[in-house]
Amino acid sequence: MTLDQMKAYLQGYDGKEINIMEVCGSHTAAIAKNGIPGMLSPRIHLLSGPGCPVCVTPSAYVDKLIELADSGKVIVTFGDMIRIPGSKESLSEAKGRGIRVEMVYSPFDIISMAKAAADDEFVFAAVGFETTTPIYALLIEHLIKEEIKNVKLLTALKTMPGVIDHVMASGADIDGFIAPGHVSVVTGTGIYKPIAEKYSIPFGVSGFEGEQLLKALCGIVASVGRGVVHNFYHEAVRDEGNISANEIINRYFKEDDAMWRGMGIIPGSGRYLKEEYVSFDAGSFGLNDDEIKNKACRCSEVLMGKIKPMECPLFKKVCTPLSPQGACMVSEEGNCHSYLVNGRDDL
Amino acid sequence: MCVALPGLVKEVRDDAVIVDFSGNEVTAMPGLVPVKKGDRVLVHAGCILQVMSDKEADELEAIFSEVGAF
């Protein structure tokens, strides 16, 4: 099927009104960047989902990082995390009063930092989904092998199937999902099948190029009403996933319940270091408090696909990338941030 | 945050892999999948997550044929 044929199919669709959720924050950004909403029939609506890891990390986690920093530890993190609001302040705000926060490109950067400052204690803010979890497992393996004792992880690791099921069970009006591509690289495609069958909804695993997204959308639209999983990202996603990555995840991590910002505790949707490796944990258990900085913030409904960002009363008024009131306005992959900076108004 | 980018393996060392991203050479960690020089790989957070394949599939054609669209 050619690109023109795909565009013609999606533009000319005249069936029932359908809602398709892109779960992944990177897909949200790619959809905006490629102008996908403008290529769709007015009867096809795109919703952004809960797939931005920092957006779903509760305030208690940010508070714990700040508490650790206040006790003298060096917090090492990806850049997305530093402006996520805690109950009182973000890491960025706390850095302004002197705590030590270092931003890195890779978790492995912490190894050279720890070796160079053996008297300091380092904590990596290990936030992420299935894509990033094997990298933290590999980091633990290196810490053990190299006998590095001054590094711990504060984990907020989450998995996709539980939250997708949670979104559907909460009554969201969704007819199909663009499944997260890089999560699927690790997990494989099988994790979506039980949910697809339970709710009779199609999943399309997609890459991040415009044409790949259009292809996935065509497949999803053509499959509405059927509990099927299609893989449109064959070049990177195998049906069985990355077996080595899953083995190393299971060596160091166990599943347990996890708190999702604005959504509550979702059973079995988190990963934590196993008991035998808990010496590498900086206190990740029980970080369940979830205080919203601005009570009018509707991030939770945005993440669940119940409203679009511009339906929140704070959007673009008091909540902007320079002054984020909720987590979705912070990261480039956050739903509200993406809608605002890309001028999406596809209500 | 789940961003991963494809690059080309230029060199495999004992504990690091040199990956070329359109002319920029970056050191990435191996360990999650076997790699060799010339592989096109997907790199996430400084680590090689998967070797890309050249597999093309006609999944969409099959779906449309199945549902009788087009």
Side-chain angles (χ1 to χ4, degrees), chain A residues 1 5 9 78 106-108 127 131-132 135 138 142 182 219 222 226 230-232 234-236 238 242 244 333, chain B residues 1-4 29-30 32 40 42 44-47 49-53 57 59-61 63-64 66-67 70:
Chain A
M1 204 166 170
Q5 285 175 316
Y9 175 73
F78 293 123
S106 168
F108 289 97
V127 174
T131 320
T132 321
I135 294 169
L138 205 54
H142 277 259
H182 292 140
R226 299 166 61 213
H230 301 303
N231 182 6
F232 299 104
H234 283 283
E235 59 179 343
R238 322 278 184 264
N242 181 331
S244 298
E333 297 184 3
Chain B
M1 189 168 173
C2 292
V3 172
M29 291 295 294
L32 298 178
R40 208 158 59 91
L42 203 55
H44 168 63
C47 189
L49 205 56
Q50 187 57 284
V51 176
M52 310 281 278
S53 82
E59 182 108 7
L60 199 53
E61 308 272 349
I63 295 165
F64 275 63
E66 199 177 331
V67 299
F70 246 48

Side-chain angles (χ1 to χ4, degrees), chain B residues 16-45:
Chain B
V17 176
I18 307 301
V19 181
D20 179 289
F21 294 96
S22 306
N24 289 324
E25 293 192 357
V26 171
T27 302
M29 291 295 294
L32 298 178
V33 64
V35 294
K36 61 182 187 307
K37 186 177 175 181
D39 280 347
R40 208 158 59 91
V41 293
L42 203 55
V43 178
H44 168 63

Side-chain angles (χ1 to χ4, degrees), chain A residues 292-304:
Chain A
I292 298 169
K293 181 178 164 186
N294 187 324
K295 303 298 179 198
C297 171
R298 296 180 71 184
C299 268
S300 59
E301 292 161 274
V302 170
L303 290 166
M304 302 268 282

Side-chain angles (χ1 to χ4, degrees), chain A residues 20-326:
Chain A
I20 298 172
M21 174 176 275
E22 82 272 2
V23 179
C24 170
S26 298
H27 275 147
T28 301
I31 283 168
K33 180 183 157 195
N34 287 284
I36 303 282
M39 299 181 200
L40 306 179
S41 154
R43 291 175 176 271
I44 301 172
H45 306 284
L46 297 180
L47 300 170
S48 303
C52 159
V54 298
C55 301
V56 295
T57 300
S59 62
Y61 179 83
V62 177
D63 294 346
K64 182 70 180 180
L65 286 174
I66 293 169
E67 177 193 315
L68 290 164
D70 280 334
S71 72
K73 295 178 175 54
V74 183
I75 306 300
V76 183
T77 178
F78 293 123
D80 310 40
M81 195 65 218
I82 70 162
R83 293 176 63 229
I84 298 294
S87 65
K88 295 185 180 65
E89 57 186 349
S90 65
L91 278 174
S92 174
E93 288 163 337
K95 191 176 183 186
R97 58 174 175 77
I99 69 164
R100 296 170 70 190
V101 181
E102 301 289 341
M103 281 184 288
V104 292
Y105 155 71
S106 168
F108 289 97
D109 293 340
I110 203 170
I111 291 180
S112 55
M113 295 166 76
K115 284 180 178 173
D119 292 336
D120 283 335
E121 292 182 61
F122 294 82
V123 175
F124 196 90
V127 174
F129 294 139
E130 289 96 328
T131 320
T132 321
T133 305
I135 294 169
Y136 297 132
L138 205 54
L139 175 63
I140 296 288
E141 194 161 271
H142 277 259
L143 294 175
I144 292 169
K145 191 174 148 192
E146 298 189 41
E147 298 183 352
I148 295 170
K149 307 286 188 192
N150 57 335
V151 172
K152 291 180 190 285
L153 273 58
L154 190 72
T155 65
L157 301 172
K158 294 181 169 64
T159 55
M160 276 288 123
V163 74
I164 297 174
D165 196 344
H166 181 77
V167 166
M168 288 304 296
S170 74
D173 183 16
I174 294 169
D175 301 288
F177 284 95
I178 300 176
H182 292 140
V183 164
S184 305
V185 168
V186 173
T187 64
T189 57
I191 62 165
Y192 310 112
K193 199 164 177 50
I195 310 169
E197 291 175 347
K198 182 177 177 182
Y199 297 102
S200 295
I201 45 168
F203 282 72
V205 179
S206 175
F208 296 82
E209 301 294 329
E211 189 166 343
Q212 291 173 319
L213 283 160
L214 288 176
K215 188 179 277 190
L217 282 166
C218 284
I220 293 165
V221 171
S223 304
V224 164
R226 299 166 61 213
V228 292
V229 180
H230 301 303
N231 182 6
F232 299 104
Y233 195 21
H234 283 283
E235 59 179 343
V237 176
R238 322 278 184 264
D239 289 347
E240 70 280 10
N242 181 331
I243 292 169
S244 298
N246 285 296
E247 283 174 354
I248 196 167
I249 288 172
N250 293 328
R251 196 176 308 148
Y252 293 105
F253 294 100
K254 61 174 184 178
E255 285 188 0
D256 211 328
D257 302 345
M259 180 71 185
W260 294 66
R261 186 183 281 249
M263 286 180 269
I265 292 173
I266 301 178
S269 68
R271 282 199 173 107
Y272 300 85
L273 281 163
K274 287 181 171 177
E275 278 74 12
E276 54 265 48
Y277 303 107
V278 82
S279 61
F280 291 100
D281 186 84
S284 311
F285 297 90
L287 300 176
N288 295 333
D289 287 344
D290 187 28
E291 289 186 31
I292 298 169
K293 181 178 164 186
N294 187 324
K295 303 298 179 198
C297 171
R298 296 180 71 184
C299 268
S300 59
E301 292 161 274
V302 170
L303 290 166
M304 302 268 282
K306 292 184 175 174
I307 64 166
K308 291 205 171 184
M310 41 288 196
E311 294 175 72
C312 172
L314 305 180
F315 181 75
K316 217 171 167 178
K317 299 182 180 76
V318 292
C319 187
T320 66
L322 287 176
S323 179
Q325 302 298 301

